[in-house]
Amino acid sequence: MTRPTVLELRGVSKNFGPVAAVADVDLELKQGEFISFLGPSGSGKTTTLMMVAGLQAPSSGSILLNGRDLAPLPPYKRNIGVVFQHYALFPHMSVLANIAFPLEMRKLGRMQARRRAEAVLRLVGLPDLGDRLPSQLSGGQQQRVALARALAYEPPLLLMDEPLGALDKNLRAQMQIEIARLHRELGITVLYVTHDQEEALVMSDRIAVFNHGRVEQIGQPQSLYERPVTRFVAGFLGDSTFLPGKVQALQKEEAVVLTAHGPLRGHASPGVRPGEAAVVAVRPERVVLLTPGDTARENALRGRISDVIYLGQSRKFVVRLEDGSELLGLQPIGTASPAVTEGSEVLLGWSATDCNVLADSD
Amino acid sequence: MKRQASRLLLLPGAAFVATVFALPVGALLLRSVSDPTWGLQNFRALWEEPVYASLIRNTVQISLATTVCCILLAYPFAHVMATRPRLTRLLTLVVLVPFWSSILVRSFAWMVLLQNNGIVNQSLLRLGLIDQPLELIFNRTGVLIGMVHVLLPFVVFPLYGAIRAMDPALMPAAACLGAGPIRAFLRVQLPLTLAGLVMGAVLVFVMALGYFITPALLGGRRDAVIARMIQLQVSQLGDWGMAATLSLVLLVATLILLGASQLLVRSPARRPAG
Ligand SMILES: Nc1ncnc2c1ncn2[C@@H]1O[C@H](COP(=O)(O)OP(=O)(O)OP(=O)(O)O)[C@@H](O)[C@H]1O
Ligand SMILES: [Mg+2]
């Protein structure tokens, strides 16, 4: 089953004077898909979103909604739902009037608009608050109203720019579930901006990782986490230790990198060339303590544990390697293996398929 | 206890206002019923002599026209000032320039510019836009130009404050929700800045009611206003009773306007307390 494409970005760029805020972004959103933009501050996420909404004009490239070029359409003719970070509710209108606003703009009668607004308000779980002013609502409630207002006219595409950025942690988790539920129930297509990686991993069908205005990698959360293709993605999404070296051999999926700790094997990402610089990226949870003589893992290193941090469900530990660099490890609590202790000399290892060899661009 | 103590802090100010303002004004106003003799003769004159009706009409017309012109000029100006941070300083200077010169200098400058062979008419003639000089001065047009010039800042600044206080995401949000520029302005920006607009407009109207030098210098014979008459009666005719009566008219009009504007501004736009 192939779903129709709702939104397509073709080579979209945006320059502010000499600053390339967005550079050559290609993207395709399928009907009902939930895509997150994830990236550090200033990486161009908001700018990209604003170009889709029509609040910024691309310097080059084109944006298509349901196959139609959006360039000639001003924002008020695009029929796209937008939820702003600070809600942007109209402070002089009641909650119901806020939600009815886009309906009235679409020439719905007053009564009809009100009824529809009430229905949407029920949908987001605030049936009794319609007569209040936005200033009389909590942050989470305002967020729901903003969501209701953007959903009221059933837009084919919903844009959200860090909608949960101003909420505290518990409320965030609750709203994440709520948004995920609405996405499922309504089958809407969502473009979601966040710089919270956990949020992106939990909610998205696919994640686009932004860096310096470019999409570094786009893919499903699991593939992005387990098979990052650039050093930036590996470092930005979750923790990684990078062990630099030079590619010695490359066969199919596997590369051998000669590092300060001897040859290490890992899954080769595209762009890795024999004889060139590369890094081995290891996730802490893939690092296991080995007993002498254990040869099941292709990679093994020696080191001394310099730090152990208790995290409740697990222990994080820092291993000082022989050349003085550090390696991060994570040990679930309650496993059979002996607990890590500070100062002990250990042998560590991981399988070749559990780490990635990435071209070293830096 | 504490609140009562803090009220004492108002005393010096209150005493100052009482001695230099309330007392003299009160004494003056009293003359409307006591000068030349006790009675309502001054009010009867106000009612019966057509000159006063025409003075009041002129004053209200000029003040209203000034207010409307100020609003129309100030809104776009304040909008640009509030939304283009780079231009804010420059525009503030531009709008404040009239305060740096005395009212006389300013009025004479306008005479130089606006008279029949002044710069404005000369330029328009040279450009072939007009065949004969426009009557820009010594009439209502001249009065309006001069008054709007001086009073513009009193609408610009409250409006600037109101527009700045708006969440900058509101207008983009309105656009995304399907409101074109005009509807977004009418439904979102205007209601949210109405308080500033009303405040500025009332300020301008009230100040325009009391202006007399500008209408005297830049206006014609048919632009006589109340304030000018008050000044004439005090300084040349010695008719303190009539001057006091006209002053009372201005004062009452001002108070009514201020009260009405308070009501207007309080109800919709302001957030409920708490
Ligand atoms: N109106 C503007 N004028 C000039 N530069 C701008 C403008 N808007 C954004 N930029 C620049 O474009 C780049 C991308 O900004 P953008 O707001 O898209 O980042 P972002 O990924 O949304 O960041 P954040 O996570 O902080 O919201 C930044 O370098 C920013 O300084
Ligand atoms: Mg942003």
Side-chain angles (χ1 to χ4, degrees):
Chain A
M1 184 190 81
T2 55
R3 292 178 291 178
T5 299
V6 171
L7 182 75
E8 195 178 346
L9 271 67
R10 291 188 191 150
V12 172
S13 301
K14 176 73 184 179
N15 304 316
F16 292 108
V19 182
V22 175
D24 201 19
V25 167
D26 291 304
L27 190 74
E28 221 176 285
L29 249 81
K30 298 286 184 199
Q31 171 88 51
E33 206 176 10
F34 193 120
I35 287 196
S36 291
F37 287 179
L38 180 67
S41 194
S43 57
K45 309 180 294 291
T46 297
T47 307
T48 307
L49 210 66
M50 290 300 122
M51 287 191 283
V52 176
L55 298 170
Q56 300 268 11
S59 305
S60 61
S62 54
I63 303 174
L64 290 86
L65 184 66
N66 292 327
R68 187 168 167 218
D69 190 359
L70 284 178
L73 295 183
Y76 53 94
K77 290 198 180 143
R78 293 196 176 187
N79 200 33
I80 293 175
V82 184
V83 177
F84 291 82
Q85 179 168 2
H86 297 287
Y87 324 130
L89 296 175
F90 304 129
H92 57 303
M93 296 184 197
S94 72
V95 164
L96 270 183
N98 262 282
I99 301 173
F101 183 85
L103 303 171
E104 285 169 28
M105 293 302 127
R106 285 166 176 75
K107 307 273 193 286
L108 231 68
R110 213 162 244 276
M111 281 320 293
Q112 232 180 324
R114 198 183 156 88
R115 232 171 294 134
R116 170 86 188 128
E118 278 167 350
V120 185
L121 205 52
R122 270 197 300 281
L123 186 70
V124 297
L126 299 175
D128 304 321
L129 301 183
D131 294 326
R132 294 219 195 149
L133 287 176
S135 57
Q136 295 166 317
L137 301 180
S138 72
Q141 290 169 333
Q142 291 184 35
Q143 186 53 62
R144 283 165 200 256
V145 174
L147 197 57
R149 189 175 65 173
L151 291 173
Y153 47 101
E154 296 174 343
L157 175 66
L158 183 64
L159 310 178
M160 294 195 247
D161 191 359
E162 304 200 29
L164 309 182
L167 303 181
D168 66 48
K169 201 161 176 271
N170 286 336
L171 206 49
R172 273 181 95 107
Q174 202 180 325
M175 284 302 297
Q176 283 171 11
I177 295 170
E178 190 82 349
I179 292 173
R181 174 182 71 85
L182 285 169
H183 169 241
R184 224 179 21 249
E185 282 178 11
L186 305 176
I188 41 173
T189 312
V190 180
L191 219 171
Y192 191 94
V193 169
T194 177
H195 56 225
D196 180 338
Q197 44 165 301
E198 209 173 305
E199 192 167 296
L201 288 173
V202 169
M203 303 183 72
S204 320
D205 295 323
R206 285 192 297 156
I207 300 175
V209 179
F210 273 70
N211 188 28
H212 294 309
R214 293 181 180 280
V215 175
E216 287 251 346
Q217 189 175 354
I218 181 162
Q220 293 170 352
Q222 189 176 348
S223 74
L224 223 59
Y225 187 83
E226 291 179 1
R227 292 281 175 248
V229 296
T230 68
R231 183 171 176 163
F232 174 81
V233 174
F236 189 76
L237 208 61
D239 290 326
S240 287
T241 302
F242 297 107
L243 301 163
K246 198 169 165 190
V247 182
Q248 222 176 17
L250 181 65
Q251 319 158 342
K252 283 193 208 156
E253 300 267 85
E254 195 173 287
V256 183
V257 180
L258 187 60
T259 68
H261 318 284
L264 296 175
R265 290 170 180 276
H267 178 270
S269 75
V272 172
R273 307 258 174 281
E276 285 183 6
V279 287
V280 180
V282 195
R283 298 279 187 206
E285 65 273 17
R286 298 294 188 180
V287 174
V288 285
L289 294 183
L290 302 178
T291 47
D294 190 344
T295 53
R297 309 277 188 316
E298 290 90 338
N299 300 302
L301 294 180
R302 263 176 208 297
R304 197 168 55 80
I305 293 181
S306 66
D307 223 341
V308 178
I309 302 151
Y310 178 75
L311 296 175
Q313 299 167 329
S314 57
R315 279 187 202 91
K316 197 175 210 172
F317 55 95
V318 182
V319 184
R320 191 160 293 279
L321 301 175
E322 281 158 346
D323 67 339
S325 62
E326 288 179 342
L327 179 87
L328 285 180
L330 197 71
Q331 186 184 43
I333 286 184
T335 46
S337 54
V340 287
T341 49
E342 238 168 87
S344 55
E345 300 283 338
V346 288
L347 184 65
L348 319 137
W350 60 87
S351 314
T353 52
D354 286 350
C355 69
N356 293 288
V357 175
L358 310 170
D360 193 359
S361 45
D362 310 334
Chain B
M1 290 311 286
K2 219 173 178 184
R3 286 182 62 166
Q4 276 174 359
S6 70
R7 274 188 208 159
L8 286 178
L9 295 175
L10 288 174
L11 257 179
F16 181 79
V17 170
T19 43
V20 309
F21 183 73
L23 276 180
V25 170
L28 171 71
L29 295 182
L30 197 61
R31 290 193 169 199
S32 63
V33 288
S34 68
D35 198 304
T37 59
W38 286 94
L40 292 176
Q41 69 277 9
N42 290 323
F43 289 92
R44 200 170 304 122
L46 184 70
W47 185 251
E48 284 168 358
E49 287 182 35
V51 58
Y52 295 119
S54 90
L55 279 177
I56 291 176
R57 195 174 52 243
N58 282 348
T59 309
V60 171
Q61 278 175 356
I62 290 176
S63 301
L64 264 183
T66 304
T67 308
V68 170
C69 291
C70 277
I71 289 175
L72 294 181
L73 284 176
Y75 209 111
F77 195 92
H79 184 85
V80 175
M81 228 170 109
T83 50
R84 300 275 158 82
R86 284 205 200 152
L87 294 177
T88 305
R89 276 170 144 232
L90 179 71
L91 295 181
T92 307
L93 285 185
V94 167
V95 79
L96 281 179
V97 160
F99 286 130
W100 296 345
S101 52
S102 83
I103 192 160
L104 286 172
V105 172
R106 220 158 44 221
S107 300
F108 289 129
W110 279 122
M111 287 184 197
V112 173
L113 285 178
L114 299 177
Q115 61 189 279
N116 280 0
N117 52 4
I119 298 171
V120 173
N121 271 320
Q122 289 295 321
S123 313
L124 290 177
L125 283 170
R126 289 254 174 79
L127 289 172
L129 293 174
I130 50 176
D131 302 328
Q132 50 189 16
L134 296 174
E135 304 257 336
L136 293 175
I137 202 162
F138 308 127
N139 56 17
R140 209 38 81 77
T141 312
V143 176
L144 282 184
I145 291 176
M147 305 237 319
V148 168
H149 181 215
V150 189
L151 293 175
L152 200 58
F154 295 96
V155 197
V156 167
F157 288 113
L159 260 182
Y160 168 75
I163 299 173
R164 275 295 297 269
M166 251 177 67
D167 176 354
L170 290 184
M171 293 303 277
C176 291
L177 291 168
I182 295 171
R183 282 209 284 182
F185 177 78
L186 292 178
R187 292 284 308 267
V188 179
Q189 181 158 346
L190 189 60
L192 286 172
T193 52
L194 195 63
L197 186 66
V198 168
M199 189 172 128
V202 168
L203 218 57
V204 164
F205 189 82
V206 164
M207 300 203 0
L209 284 180
Y211 260 53
F212 68 91
I213 300 181
T214 308
L217 293 179
L218 302 181
R221 204 163 301 137
R222 278 178 296 154
D223 301 309
V225 292
I226 299 184
R228 170 86 174 132
M229 184 55 116
I230 295 174
Q231 191 238 357
L232 263 181
Q233 271 161 338
V234 170
S235 64
Q236 289 174 31
L237 306 176
D239 185 351
W240 284 83
M242 207 56 224
T245 309
L246 290 175
S247 302
L248 191 68
V249 169
L250 281 188
L251 189 66
V252 169
T254 304
L255 290 179
I256 289 175
L257 267 168
L258 288 178
S261 71
Q262 283 298 308
L263 286 182
L264 221 167
V265 169
R266 187 162 303 162
S267 45
R270 206 181 281 177
R271 292 178 179 193

